[in-house]
Amino acid sequence: MSNLSVIFNYEGNPITMQCQGQEVVDNVFQRFCAKARINIDDVKFYYNSTEVKQSGKTLDALGVKNLFNFNVVKEKYVSGAF
């Protein structure tokens, strides 16, 4: 099992979470939201400007490495094309 430190950038603050490579990304996002005291339905997760959706895949399957950065954005601040 690989031990990872995953960094979530939320409202200008980095929040580091300890994870296992075999953890499902959905669970990691839930744990982050609990730690940050936010509703998971109110935020979106991004990596390199691409939304990372809860998919049932593990961190390893998504290619997450140690010190991987997710950007967390409140959904009400996200705008896009129609």
Side-chain angles (χ1 to χ4, degrees):
M1 254 187 207
S2 58
N3 293 322
L4 304 172
S5 292
V6 177
I7 302 166
F8 291 88
N9 297 304
Y10 178 63
E11 294 186 334
N13 300 309
I15 299 172
T16 304
M17 303 272 304
Q18 299 300 313
C19 307
Q20 298 293 321
Q22 292 302 312
E23 277 188 80
V24 176
V25 72
D26 310 40
N27 296 339
V28 176
F29 289 171
Q30 286 285 351
R31 284 195 308 122
F32 163 77
C33 288
K35 184 175 185 176
R37 295 184 177 147
I38 55 176
N39 185 332
I40 197 164
D41 295 326
D42 294 340
V43 293
K44 292 186 181 226
F45 297 88
Y46 291 88
Y47 175 70
N48 282 346
S49 299
T50 302
E51 184 178 358
V52 179
K53 297 189 180 200
Q54 297 185 50
S55 62
K57 292 184 179 180
T58 65
L59 293 173
D60 285 342
L62 290 175
V64 172
K65 304 292 183 203
N66 196 38
L67 300 178
F68 194 89
N69 282 274
F70 286 107
N71 293 308
V72 184
V73 180
K74 287 186 178 178
E75 190 170 2
K76 68 180 179 180
Y77 296 120
V78 176
S79 61
F82 293 94

